[in-house]
Amino acid sequence: MTTNDRLYHIGFGRSDLGFLPPAIAFLSGDPERARLIAEDYLKDVRTLSEHRGLNSYLGVLPNGKPVLSATSGMGAPSLSIVVNELVQVGIKTVVRVGTTGSIQPEIQAGSVVISHAALCRQGAAHDIAPMEYPAVADLYLTMALVNAARQLNVDYHVGITASVDSFYEGQERDEISANHSLLPQLRGQTELYRRLHILNYEMECGTLLKMGSVYGFAAGCVCGVIAQRSTGENVILEQKMSAVDNAIRVALQAAQQYGS
Ligand code: URA
């Protein structure tokens, strides 16, 4: 069902959200993950839109709290559009449920990384705040994610995430990339970030966190680890399902306990 207050990109509006509209959204890069969260983890699910692959579903948590499971698409430009529109329909809390590549040897595939801040090397974020503006997660939401991981006995790590604009060049992928002319300033970057105690690479968190502070909504991020960059460049497909399941369960448990 769509109405005439629907927003251009996400394809639904406030009036599609019913009498008890959700205040919290889970945001996946992959539309299939947004669908998975809705179909396998939520109750009373209703499809809001699958416009442009930006799948959005309305559902309720086991404790009856209404939530959205939405899609950011890949990277910060798409995320910035979706998040702007989610705020326009009344969303007050956004939890990114993503996937990531660990750059620290002790952070294994299958575990989760909870970002309390990000090194934000993302062009879209420059349109929202000055480059130096901190990309920090909501403190209380982050604690809720940490508590959820503890309660669920999920292997978790909390720290700083590197959010970049590309999966190959920006994350110093050389061997599995079609581009064999990596810019000199990107060579050695992963080792530098490792020494700066950055935990992981991904492509959306930093811009989301800056938007949270600028717009005035609570932003948090939990990502399942699907690549271990101390040992290789490829995604470890055998660990992907458990990493994603861990990130989803942590996000849902945190949402049940966070706020009202
Ligand atoms: N997403 C990323 O951006 N990088 C990875 O290595 C894995 C997932």
Side-chain angles (χ1 to χ4, degrees):
M1 181 184 76
T2 52
T3 61
N4 59 10
D5 71 347
R6 72 174 178 268
L7 285 142
Y8 182 70
H9 300 90
I10 59 175
F12 63 92
R14 225 179 241 260
S15 59
D16 294 309
L17 299 178
F19 293 113
L20 245 186
I24 184 158
F26 303 114
L27 196 56
S28 306
D30 179 355
E32 289 307 319
R33 192 175 320 127
R35 192 202 308 272
L36 175 78
I37 293 173
E39 288 180 353
D40 289 10
Y41 297 82
L42 302 180
K43 292 188 301 179
D44 302 337
V45 170
R46 181 153 63 80
T47 301
L48 290 167
S49 172
E50 292 181 340
H51 184 55
R52 292 172 178 255
L54 297 174
N55 297 7
S56 290
Y57 309 91
L58 189 59
V60 294
L61 293 173
N63 70 356
K65 191 186 265 192
V67 292
L68 270 187
S69 176
T71 307
S72 65
M74 282 185 279
S78 178
L79 172 132
S80 73
I81 295 166
V82 169
V83 170
N84 188 308
E85 294 186 357
L86 290 178
V87 171
Q88 293 188 53
V89 301
I91 292 298
K92 307 260 185 283
T93 300
V94 179
V95 182
R96 166 162 154 74
V97 186
T99 54
T100 188
S102 159
I103 63 170
Q104 297 293 344
E106 73 279 10
I107 301 181
Q108 296 303 329
S111 66
V112 301
V113 172
I114 297 166
S115 311
H116 67 63
L119 176 155
C120 185
R121 226 183 58 217
Q122 304 204 287
H126 298 162
D127 290 346
I128 293 158
M131 196 169 72
E132 303 81 3
Y133 191 90
V136 282
D138 180 86
L139 183 62
Y140 304 100
L141 181 56
T142 303
M143 279 313 301
L145 290 167
V146 170
N147 287 334
R150 283 193 186 136
Q151 289 160 3
L152 295 168
N153 220 6
V154 166
D155 182 16
Y156 73 95
H157 307 266
V158 187
I160 302 171
T161 289
S163 298
V164 299
D165 280 338
S166 53
F167 182 85
Y168 291 98
E169 288 85 350
Q171 299 182 23
E172 206 187 340
R173 281 187 165 92
D174 206 7
E175 288 159 19
I176 65 165
S177 172
N179 180 1
H180 298 297
S181 308
L182 191 67
L183 294 173
Q185 62 266 34
L186 293 175
R187 289 205 185 278
Q189 167 196 268
T190 306
E191 181 52 28
L192 171 67
Y193 285 1
R194 195 173 282 132
R195 281 192 272 115
L196 295 175
H197 306 297
I198 289 170
L199 304 188
N200 59 317
Y201 277 129
E202 59 78 78
M203 296 176 57
E204 290 85 12
C205 173
T207 297
L208 172 67
L209 300 189
K210 286 193 177 186
M211 291 179 84
S213 300
V214 171
Y215 288 35
F217 66 86
C221 180
V222 56
C223 288
V225 177
I226 63 163
Q228 186 12 285
R229 298 298 309 282
S230 302
T231 54
E233 293 188 358
N234 279 308
V235 165
I236 305 166
L237 285 173
E238 308 81 64
Q239 301 283 333
K240 186 172 173 184
M241 253 175 68
S242 66
V244 167
D245 175 64
N246 282 336
I248 294 172
R249 288 185 304 115
V250 166
L252 266 63
Q253 173 95 344
Q256 294 215 109
Q257 296 166 1
Y258 173 77
S260 55

